[in-house]
Amino acid sequence: MVVKRSGVTEAFSREKIVNGVRKACQGRPVSDDDLALLAQRVEETLRASGSAELDSHDVGLAILGPLKDLDEVAFLRFASVYQGFDSLDDFEAAINLLRIEHGQ
């Protein structure tokens, strides 16, 4: 079960993960199969936590890692909304972290 910001609890849905990430992947070379696999990875990560209820924030965090592995541009798009980027400095910091991870 996922507890939303409003306090409403609803069942976890892979389809919601796919739909949310699909927007970030728009125009990117990401297939429906890629999205389905990402949603499966997110679900497996969340199930491994052992919690019966998870905060929607935890779901978003679980999406970031697999999305970064799938497509870094889509990752930046999703992170900018999810993490509330307010300025170009926020984008620059995220891009610099990606560069560090690549050893650049």
Side-chain angles (χ1 to χ4, degrees), residues 12 41-51 54 58-59 62:
F12 175 83
R41 285 181 61 193
V42 169
E43 183 175 6
E44 289 170 357
T45 298
L46 295 173
R47 286 189 188 280
S49 75
S51 293
L54 295 162
D58 296 328
V59 176

Side-chain angles (χ1 to χ4, degrees), residues 15-88:
E15 192 58 34
K16 280 194 167 193
I17 301 295
V18 169
N19 288 337
V21 174
R22 179 176 279 126
K23 293 173 188 169
C25 294
Q26 194 169 10
R28 302 296 303 156
V30 175
S31 71
D32 287 342
D33 288 343
D34 292 332
L35 293 175
L37 188 58
L38 180 139
Q40 180 181 343
R41 285 181 61 193
V42 169
E43 183 175 6
E44 289 170 357
T45 298
L46 295 173
R47 286 189 188 280
S49 75
S51 293
E53 283 189 354
L54 295 162
D55 189 81
S56 60
H57 182 76
D58 296 328
V59 176
L61 289 176
I63 291 170
L64 288 173
L67 185 55
K68 184 174 18 172
D69 293 341
L70 178 62
D71 187 279
E72 290 176 339
V73 172
F75 163 79
L76 286 171
R77 289 175 178 170
F78 187 87
S80 72
V81 173
Y82 179 74
Q83 295 177 332
F85 287 12
D86 290 323
S87 68
L88 291 176

